[in-house]
Amino acid sequence: MSTQTEGAGPAAPLALRALLVEVNDLKRVHSAGRTGSIAERLFAQGWGALTGGAAPEAVALDITAKALAAARLCDLDAAFLAAAGLDERATADILVSGFDAVTDSVEPGLRDRLRAALRAPASFAQGSLPGFVAALAHQPRAGVTCPGKPRILLEPPENHAEHCLMVAVYGVVLSPFYRADPTLVFLAAMAHHFHNAAMPDAGFTGEMLLGDHLLPIMARTTQWALDELDPALRETVQRARGVLPDDATAEGRAFHAADCIDRVLQIAQHLRAASLTMGTVLDEMELVHAGPVKGFHDRVLKDMQIP
């Protein structure tokens, strides 16, 4: 049952909008030599740390901090910077500069904890990855569906690992607004689509067509994923998943806000790309940017009548 009512104050912090929009692109950033998007890889890193015995709070801070730093740095991450010859201090300085470039709107106390996670990164023992990690990375999301209507597919689709990771990061960042425990929200989000590791996603339409079979199927396929975890972690994850059914708790509100925002921003980025203009690209984003040959570039484009 919802505890939110109309006129009871803002349901979400508008100041975080720009950050959440920008971080969403981590579902679409890929790099040579690395399999999957940044979001997909951070999802796997998070579960590897959890199965390796790391404290969930430390994992939530580590993965969220990495995601926020990557909003501008993309895959110029600690692994690459170290391989390129930078020492730990220089690496941390760069990661923190990327983090600071986008996090002015994050609650100061949380921002300090996340920054500290970049300054002194934890060394997590990586456990074996449960099968559901790869399964969720290979399971596309349904697109836009509505009972009684044909689906709207927007290519390329995101996968469930990317969605779960993004909701987890959003949930941590949103938690101070709702006075929620960020670790609980993070774990709930990382595990909220366990059923889709085995269950193909036919969206709301398909779920309604399953009728009375929906909940038993979801329960069974969720349990398959839970059974891949050792008993202690399984109990922790099950406890976190307890916030998923409604918005009656602060953690439930933080999770559902994150889930809703990610679902809509995923579609919004398709619309944003479709409405992009050359004025934005050339004038605002300076595609042909300042440098020793900019004058020549401008003349080339003018004489070629491009655009």
Side-chain angles (χ1 to χ4, degrees), residues 109-297:
L110 175 61
R111 188 171 65 231
D112 289 346
R113 296 173 69 200
L114 292 168
R115 188 186 292 108
L118 292 174
R119 281 280 177 209
S123 296
F124 299 131
Q126 289 289 304
S128 58
L129 286 180
F132 63 72
V133 173
L136 289 169
H138 284 93
Q139 191 73 276
R141 283 176 56 75
V144 183
T145 69
C146 180
K149 300 178 182 179
R151 77 180 58 241
I152 300 172
L153 289 175
L154 297 170
E155 297 289 339
E158 64 180 325
N159 63 53
H160 280 272
E162 292 167 330
H163 170 65
C164 288
L165 184 281
M166 196 57 54
V167 176
V169 169
Y170 282 6
V172 171
V173 174
L174 289 165
S175 286
F177 179 82
Y178 300 100
R179 299 181 182 179
D181 176 355
T183 303
L184 201 62
V185 178
F186 178 85
L187 283 178
M190 291 284 278
H192 80 285
H193 272 283
F194 268 3
H195 58 286
N196 285 120
M199 180 181 180
D201 189 356
F204 185 38
T205 299
E207 291 177 353
M208 292 302 96
L209 291 172
L210 286 174
D212 292 341
H213 298 292
L214 172 64
L215 294 181
I217 289 173
M218 289 182 65
R220 190 171 303 119
T221 51
T222 294
Q223 192 61 50
W224 292 346
L226 285 167
D227 286 344
E228 295 186 58
L229 302 174
D230 67 47
L233 180 56
R234 184 188 313 140
E235 182 179 349
T236 299
V237 171
Q238 283 179 310
R239 187 165 56 250
R241 282 176 50 88
V243 311
L244 297 178
D246 54 45
D247 66 352
T249 63
E251 289 74 24
R253 289 189 286 278
F255 164 76
H256 284 289
D259 184 47
C260 172
I261 290 167
D262 181 59
R263 277 188 284 153
V264 177
L265 286 182
Q266 172 65 21
I267 306 305
Q269 62 88 21
H270 285 282
L271 304 180
R272 189 168 71 248
S275 62
L276 187 65
T277 67
M278 288 304 293
T280 298
V281 171
L282 289 175
D283 300 333
E284 295 180 29
M285 299 303 292
E286 300 183 53
L287 179 64
V288 180
H289 51 77
V293 294
K294 181 165 190 314
F296 177 67
H297 285 169

Side-chain angles (χ1 to χ4, degrees), residues 28 32 45 54 57 62 70 85 96 108 137 149 186 193 196 211 304:
R28 293 169 284 277
Q45 283 183 39
E57 179 181 11
D62 176 76
V96 169
K149 300 178 182 179
F186 178 85
H193 272 283
N196 285 120
M304 289 294 291

